[in-house]
């Protein structure tokens, strides 16, 4: 039997982690597939009647309480999601759902403008719980119903 050498690894830090092109491609394909599937769904049925999780109401209430300034009809990517202040606010909010929402931090595409389909100028990358919070709000508030009404 040969000896195995074990080396101690450094703690993982998202701030200093390297991006690997193959992993990014896989995530991109999964995120795009999710976006296409979701848009087909809200285009097929009235989104007001949809439930995305078992805890939609909890997510909605927590989201509206913490982020009352966010207009879910027309998102401001930089100000509401990507600025240092926004990132800090989201970092404190997201962990509330770690044990409640499967794949809560999975990368997902979110539309900037609710009335439009996904596109190069109408999508940005967020975590799954951010996507759920915004899309649950859009569904409850009727902004996604425009897509099923087009049929």
């Amino acid at each position: 039997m040969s000896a195995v050498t074990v080396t101690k690894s450094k703690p993982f830090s998202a701030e200093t982690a390297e991006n690997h092109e193959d992993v990014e491609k896989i995530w991109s394909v999964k995120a795009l597939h999710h976006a296409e599937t979701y848009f087909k769904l809200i285009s097929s049925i009235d989104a007001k009647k949809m439930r995305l999780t078992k805890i939609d109401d909890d997510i909605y209430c927590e989201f509206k309480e913490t982020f009352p300034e966010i207009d879910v009809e027309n998102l401001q990517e930089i100000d509401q999601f990507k600025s240092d202040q926004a990132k800090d606010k989201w970092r404190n909010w997201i962990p509330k759902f770690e044990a409640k929402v499967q794949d809560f931090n999975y990368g997902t595409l979110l539309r900037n403008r609710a009335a439009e389909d996904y596109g190069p100028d109408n999508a940005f990358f967020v975590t799954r719980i951010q996507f759920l919070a915004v899309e649950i709000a859009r569904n409850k508030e009727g902004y996604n119903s425009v897509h099923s009404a087009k049929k």
Side-chain angles (χ1 to χ4, degrees), residues 71-87:
D71 171 14
V72 296
E73 183 177 18
N74 295 294
L75 300 175
Q76 303 302 314
E77 177 183 355
I78 302 301
D79 294 343
Q80 297 169 336
F81 292 85
K82 307 294 182 184
S83 71
D84 289 340
Q85 183 180 5
K87 285 180 183 179

Side-chain angles (χ1 to χ4, degrees), residues 95-107:
K96 294 177 185 182
F97 299 96
E98 183 173 1
K100 298 176 184 178
V101 175
Q102 184 177 359
D103 299 326
F104 75 103
N105 63 350
Y106 179 87

Side-chain angles (χ1 to χ4, degrees), residues 45-98:
I45 62 170
D46 184 359
K48 281 186 177 183
K49 298 175 184 174
M50 283 180 37
R51 292 192 58 84
L52 300 179
T53 72
K54 292 179 182 178
I55 60 166
D56 279 13
D57 295 336
D58 295 340
I59 294 170
Y60 180 74
C61 289
E62 289 276 350
F63 172 67
K64 292 308 258 184
E65 183 178 308
T66 306
F67 301 96
E69 72 282 1
I70 292 182
D71 171 14
V72 296
E73 183 177 18
N74 295 294
L75 300 175
Q76 303 302 314
E77 177 183 355
I78 302 301
D79 294 343
Q80 297 169 336
F81 292 85
K82 307 294 182 184
S83 71
D84 289 340
Q85 183 180 5
K87 285 180 183 179
D88 286 342
K89 199 169 179 181
W90 281 108
R91 276 189 200 114
N92 290 324
W93 188 82
I94 289 170
K96 294 177 185 182
F97 299 96
E98 183 173 1

